[in-house]
Amino acid sequence: MENKEESLSLRDSSKKAEDPRPNGDGSNIKDVDHIPERGNWTGRFDFLLACIGFAIGMGNVWRFPYLCYKNGGGAFLIPYLLTLVFAGIPLFFFETAIGQMMSIGGLGVWKICPLFKGVGLAAVVMSFLLNVYYVIIIAWALLYLFYSFSATLPWDDCENWWNTPNCTTNYTYVDNSSVSTTMEFWKRYILRETEGIDEVGQLRWQLSLTLMLSWIICYFCIWKGVEWTGKVVWFTASYPYVMMFILFIRGVTLDGAVDGIIFYIKPDFEKLAESEVWIDAATQIFFSYGIGLGSLIALGSYNPFHNNVYRDALIVACVNSGTSIFAGFVIFSVIGYMAHTQNKDVAEVAASGPGLAFVAYPSAVAEMPISPLWACLFFSMMFMLGLDSQFCTMEGFFTACIDEWPRYLRKHKEIFIAIVCFFSYLIGLSMVTEGGIYVFELFNTYSASGMSLLFLVFFQTVAISWFYGVERFYLHIEKMIGFRPNIWWKLCWVGFTPAITAGVFIFSLVKYTPLTYVDYVYPDWSYAIGWMLALSSMLCIPGYMVYILAKTPGTLLERFQICITPQWTEEDYAKGIAIDDHRQVMYTNATPPGYQEVVNTDECKV
């Protein structure tokens, strides 16, 4: 009792003096009054819809259905669901819970374990690169949408200046040298594709304008803060489902739709013996859930402290995976119709990625009655799917930066966002030249997916579960949601999830093959650029570890112990999360003795 009173008096006396602890940007606590509020979600469902909009993107429509039929149809759901349970949902819950607990962006959360702040830096770099190239797909969809507002679709016939003598309509193919009109519209008009990455060609002015419009729309989706974004997601997250349902009803009523759906879901259990099937399942989970980019941390940070983030994570996971499966029925019902009209097997017309969204599906749409209407519905859906994923990723980037340097950035948030959008647009212009598709594929492969993402997620998971302590993290979650989650999540965070991420990373490294685009082999210098993009984020993690350990005084062991010690703030104590397990009774309302001496050193200010 005497120790408790002594601790309480220590805390009372410390309030009288200026608190020298850093406030993210090096400012003192007394400066907080001059910094605008960061804001919170204004509605109960804003966070839920934002997470759904972020996690459900174009990959659910063009990547999952392709992977499903490629890897054994319905049998692919076995590795997919197992990876979802062992890694996908645990990581989604993990990131949103950290954000809600700390109420700060992806850089500031690492005061919980400063040694791993490089993880936050890596996420910022990766999200910036993702924002630069993902918006290109939105620009493509927007251009297709504009061309859909016409009496006759421009890819419906071969009477256009970009068509070649080998062009055929989408109904019949003369021989193997024939090229569909949709393929020629995509390659010879939209992209105006050159022979390789070293042939830049001219700027595609149509794409440069839709790219600019895409950035402007994204800017106005987030410029006023999370309160405004919470209103925007009500439309952007729900609209694709309306369109998807309409397209599903239309698709299943077409001739040949059943053949396409059977091709999509027919199980081939022999495929499960192939290791690549399991790797595809794991990478699809990480790809579609937006894990590791700091966006989920940012979205969760705007929640009330006692929001049931556990329930929300389970809802979003079910909606996300359910949407992926449902999208397969939407897509393959139409692909089956396309195969039926062309007297081909479904496998011959199915495609993945941009080939599905901008070649295969438009070919099928062109053969439908009132084809411009269905084209408008499809490409407006694709635009909205890309839009909310894009601006939620942007939110993760800007939240991390603004929360890290609030004194300089929060007052000028609109200007800061505009400057970053402008420079991102300038970088993106390299991908809307006639050789831009090669640059796009380079970014898509190396910058924010694959090995670099797995590398980041591994260190993020072990930093909290191993170094900060999974049991302590469980206590925080219990304080937030009012009950203790099942032990399953603890097992995943400590063992299963790190093992899966490390295993997939090592397998990807061993099985690495240089990037190709269709039959084009990239020159060696472009691979060097690709690896520079990948390492630009990956090296942040070990690089920051070396930096902070070198800057901290003491022996190596003392440096290590200091750098894994949380740097709590007054707000953390007020919320009750800044409590060491062995002191949680004595210091519920008191600053631990010696705290000031530890955090006051310049070496610990990160």
Side-chain angles (χ1 to χ4, degrees):
M1 186 66 183
E2 181 179 348
N3 290 337
K4 184 174 181 180
E5 291 175 355
E6 179 184 347
S7 300
L8 290 173
S9 64
L10 174 65
R11 182 174 177 85
D12 293 337
S13 62
S14 67
K15 288 182 179 179
K16 299 176 182 178
E18 176 185 329
D19 192 337
R21 281 171 288 175
N23 190 43
D25 61 342
S27 61
N28 294 332
I29 297 298
K30 68 177 184 178
D31 295 325
V32 172
D33 293 338
H34 304 291
I35 301 174
E37 294 290 332
R38 73 191 299 271
N40 289 292
W41 299 115
T42 56
R44 180 180 176 184
F45 298 104
D46 291 358
F47 168 70
L48 202 60
L49 287 172
C51 286
I52 290 173
F54 169 66
I56 297 169
M58 296 183 181
N60 297 75
V61 173
W62 74 26
R63 195 167 188 265
F64 177 83
Y66 168 78
L67 290 178
C68 204
Y69 97 78
K70 170 192 169 187
N71 293 310
F76 179 70
L77 294 178
I78 296 175
Y80 176 82
L81 293 176
L82 285 175
T83 309
L84 178 67
V85 171
F86 281 91
I89 302 178
L91 282 171
F92 192 93
F93 176 35
F94 181 86
E95 291 194 14
T96 52
I98 292 173
Q100 180 171 308
M101 180 183 85
M102 303 300 291
S103 298
I104 200 169
L107 283 172
V109 295
W110 292 105
K111 62 186 177 183
I112 200 172
C113 191
L115 182 66
F116 289 90
K117 191 173 183 177
V119 174
L121 294 171
V124 167
V125 172
M126 197 176 294
S127 61
F128 175 79
L129 295 175
L130 178 61
N131 287 332
V132 167
Y133 83 82
Y134 190 84
V135 73
I136 302 298
I137 310 173
I138 301 175
W140 292 339
L142 200 54
L143 187 57
Y144 267 84
L145 178 60
F146 288 152
Y147 280 119
S148 299
F149 288 100
S150 58
T152 303
L153 295 175
W155 60 85
D156 192 34
D157 56 52
C158 295
E159 305 300 322
N160 307 287
W161 63 263
W162 59 81
N163 295 127
T164 66
N166 292 327
C167 175
T168 61
T169 63
N170 299 306
Y171 303 95
T172 57
Y173 290 86
V174 178
D175 52 44
N176 292 334
S177 63
S178 301
V179 182
S180 70
T181 179
T182 49
M183 179 64 76
E184 290 201 343
F185 180 75
W186 166 244
K187 285 182 171 290
R188 293 179 56 81
Y189 180 72
I190 296 294
L191 301 179
R192 202 105 32 110
E193 203 174 273
T194 61
E195 295 297 320
I197 194 172
D198 48 357
E199 295 183 26
V200 178
Q202 297 179 346
L203 188 70
R204 296 286 294 118
W205 67 266
Q206 295 95 334
L207 284 176
S208 68
L209 291 179
T210 56
L211 179 62
M212 179 186 296
L213 181 58
S214 299
W215 272 115
I216 292 173
I217 294 172
C218 288
Y219 172 79
F220 284 110
C221 285
I222 67 171
W223 73 313
K224 285 298 183 182
V226 72
E227 295 91 347
W228 171 252
T229 304
K231 296 179 177 65
V232 173
V233 294
W234 278 86
F235 177 72
T236 58
S238 57
Y239 179 83
Y241 284 97
V242 177
M243 294 300 101
M244 203 176 295
F245 181 75
I246 294 173
L247 291 171
F248 171 75
I249 297 299
R250 180 66 182 117
V252 295
T253 59
L254 296 170
D255 294 334
V258 174
D259 296 332
I261 292 173
I262 291 175
F263 181 82
Y264 166 56
I265 63 174
K266 184 179 180 181
D268 180 5
F269 293 104
E270 294 181 359
K271 284 279 188 178
L272 297 181
E274 301 177 11
S275 58
E276 290 188 5
V277 174
W278 296 82
I279 299 300
D280 281 346
T283 53
Q284 173 61 17
I285 290 294
F286 292 119
F287 179 84
S288 66
Y289 275 78
I291 295 165
L293 298 171
S295 298
L296 294 175
I297 293 175
L299 297 177
S301 72
Y302 295 109
N303 275 335
F305 184 73
H306 293 291
N307 175 66
N308 192 341
V309 67
Y310 178 71
R311 173 202 59 203
D312 291 347
L314 293 178
I315 292 174
V316 173
C318 293
V319 172
N320 188 353
S321 296
T323 302
S324 295
I325 297 171
F326 178 66
F329 288 92
V330 176
I331 296 299
F332 273 90
S333 61
V334 177
I335 296 298
Y337 167 72
M338 181 179 171
H340 174 77
T341 58
Q342 296 178 4
N343 294 319
K344 288 175 170 253
D345 291 333
V346 177
E348 295 182 59
V349 296
S352 175
L356 175 61
F358 301 111
V359 178
Y361 203 93
S363 293
V365 166
E367 299 170 21
M368 297 181 188
I370 327 176
S371 56
L373 171 63
W374 303 112
C376 287
L377 295 179
F378 176 75
F379 287 112
S380 63
M381 178 190 74
M382 294 298 294
F383 173 72
M384 287 298 175
L385 283 172
L387 180 63
D388 48 13
S389 295
Q390 173 73 11
F391 70 69
C392 285
T393 307
M394 291 169 60
E395 187 67 57
F397 172 82
F398 289 116
T399 297
C401 295
I402 293 171
D403 283 352
E404 183 69 7
W405 300 284
R407 186 179 182 183
Y408 307 108
L409 298 180
R410 194 167 290 163
K411 292 180 181 179
H412 311 289
K413 180 176 181 178
E414 293 89 346
I415 298 175
F416 174 60
I417 294 175
I419 291 173
V420 173
C421 289
F422 175 71
F423 280 103
S424 299
Y425 169 72
L426 293 181
I427 298 172
L429 288 177
S430 65
M431 302 180 211
V432 294
T433 62
E434 292 176 347
I437 186 64
Y438 302 102
V439 181
F440 171 83
E441 289 294 340
L442 203 63
F443 270 75
N444 185 39
T445 301
Y446 290 99
S447 64
S449 60
M451 286 183 282
S452 55
L453 183 61
L454 292 166
F455 187 79
L456 185 155
V457 170
F458 172 80
F459 281 100
Q460 175 183 264
T461 309
V462 301
I464 304 298
S465 58
W466 295 2
F467 289 87
Y468 179 70
V470 70
E471 183 60 33
R472 189 155 48 168
F473 186 42
Y474 248 51
L475 290 174
H476 298 321
I477 294 176
E478 183 178 2
K479 187 174 183 65
M480 287 192 295
I481 65 178
F483 62 91
R484 192 174 182 83
N486 189 283
I487 194 175
W488 171 256
W489 309 104
K490 185 186 297 186
L491 296 175
C492 290
W493 295 334
V494 172
F496 297 140
T497 302
I500 290 173
T501 53
V504 176
F505 174 81
I506 294 171
F507 185 87
S508 301
L509 200 60
V510 171
K511 293 289 186 177
Y512 168 75
T513 54
L515 170 67
T516 58
Y517 173 67
V518 190
D519 296 326
Y520 174 73
V521 179
Y522 281 72
D524 291 338
W525 61 264
S526 63
Y527 295 132
I529 293 176
W531 278 107
M532 287 174 61
L533 290 171
L535 293 174
S536 65
S537 59
M538 295 171 68
L539 290 180
C540 289
I541 300 174
Y544 190 84
M545 288 180 179
V546 173
Y547 163 76
I548 193 62
L549 287 172
K551 194 176 180 182
T552 305
T555 65
L556 183 60
L557 180 59
E558 290 172 342
R559 298 178 186 188
F560 180 78
Q561 289 175 335
I562 291 173
C563 292
I564 63 172
T565 300
Q567 293 186 358
W568 300 121
T569 65
E570 195 74 23
E571 184 182 357
D572 299 324
Y573 280 96
K575 290 191 296 187
I577 64 171
I579 303 168
D580 292 332
D581 295 343
H582 64 286
R583 294 175 172 175
Q584 63 179 352
V585 176
M586 179 179 294
Y587 298 115
T588 300
N589 295 304
T591 304
Y595 173 82
Q596 298 293 346
E597 288 77 7
V598 174
V599 301
N600 234 5
T601 59
D602 291 336
E603 290 78 7
C604 289
K605 293 180 180 179
V606 292

